[in-house]
Amino acid sequence: MSKRVVVLALGGNGIQPSNSKGSYEDQFKNIDVTAKQIAGLIESRYKVVITHGNGPQVGTIMTQMAAAAEQVPEQPMRICGAMTQGQIGYLLQSRLQYHLLKMRGAPVPVCTVVTQVVVDKNDPAFQNPTKPVGSFYTKEEADAIGKANGYTMKEVAPEKPKPWRRVVCSPKPQDIVEIDSIMQLLDNHIVVISCGGGGIPVVRAGDGDYEGIDAVIDKDYTAALLAKKVDADFLMILTDVEKVAINYGKPDQKWLDSLSSGEAEDMHKRGEFPGGSMGPKVTAAIDFVRWGGEAAIITSLEKAREALEGKTGTIFRK
Ligand code: ADP
Ligand code: MG
């Protein structure tokens, strides 16, 4: 039997928990635990593509860039995004290689692909920057930085002493530039890490070229696109909750075991899944099964294996 293909989308917590400052040691330890879990999950039964978030890491790099701007030129966000793909890819790749070797008794190739993701120049998201990135500033700092760099700055956390941040646009992913490389690696049974942080956003520039832009593509939407493009059987979105709920956080909260895409869509329309967190995951799950994927599963990293065996998690089918 040919191996089934699974795309794993890792949330920020699998890399850097919210209570961590993001030291090297912290990230190493955390990714090591994550990699061990993934290695156990994938065994030898699946071809696997892994994608991951990069919110805290890209924020850290942008803060470092801004702090050192008088000594060395600050780099645009697309470079910071590429740096996080290398940084997280390296750690994940190295820890997966180790744990897969231990489990299977022979080396298993793992490879990170620095990935550009195409967005549409005319995406309506470009009219309205919504995604906060990088450091927090006072109003005076924000005004100066905005003016000097042409950034859009917004007051995003009024309760904080430094409530202002840069905001960028969040267009929808349309295509993956390196998809042929990803497919070839997968066909050769290489575990692939790609599209980190939703991918480095690029627009078609004519003449076959692509131009990098400063934006953030939602990693959950990119995961769904990646799963479609590699013709995956399963999309697993791994976050910090075991299941999706309705009435989340309210007294009548109810955890969901399985949903058709129609049921999920109705709940989403009723506002059960907020835009900045569960909303994009549910949209990605619906999108993937409607396209033809067998199932999408939303669960926690710890429960991933049980969920893939159908024992927990929220499973979406067409
Ligand atoms: P990730 O870093 O994995 O993308 P997010 O914080 O963006 O994680 O999204 C996961 C969070 O979504 C959960 O920690 C939970 O607090 C929140 N959430 C919001 N609505 C729901 C819901 N209806 N069911 C489950 N979790 C929800
Ligand atoms: Mg998220």
Side-chain angles (χ1 to χ4, degrees), residues 219-220 276-277 281:
K219 72 134 202 324
D220 297 316
S277 56
K281 297 182 204 312

Side-chain angles (χ1 to χ4, degrees), residues 109-139:
V110 183
C111 179
T112 301
V113 178
V114 174
T115 321
Q116 306 169 79
V117 171
V118 183
V119 299
D120 183 351
K121 264 187 202 139
N122 300 313
D123 191 310
F126 285 117
Q127 305 308 316
N128 181 27
T130 53
K131 182 88 186 156
V133 291
S135 303
F136 289 81
Y137 300 104
T138 63
K139 176 157 184 10

Side-chain angles (χ1 to χ4, degrees), residues 11-12 219-220 238-241 243-245 248 255 272-274 276-278 281:
K219 72 134 202 324
D220 297 316
L238 303 176
T239 182
D240 56 358
V241 284
K243 294 183 187 187
V244 180
Y248 181 70
W255 298 111
E272 298 282 358
F273 314 122
S277 56
M278 194 46 78
K281 297 182 204 312

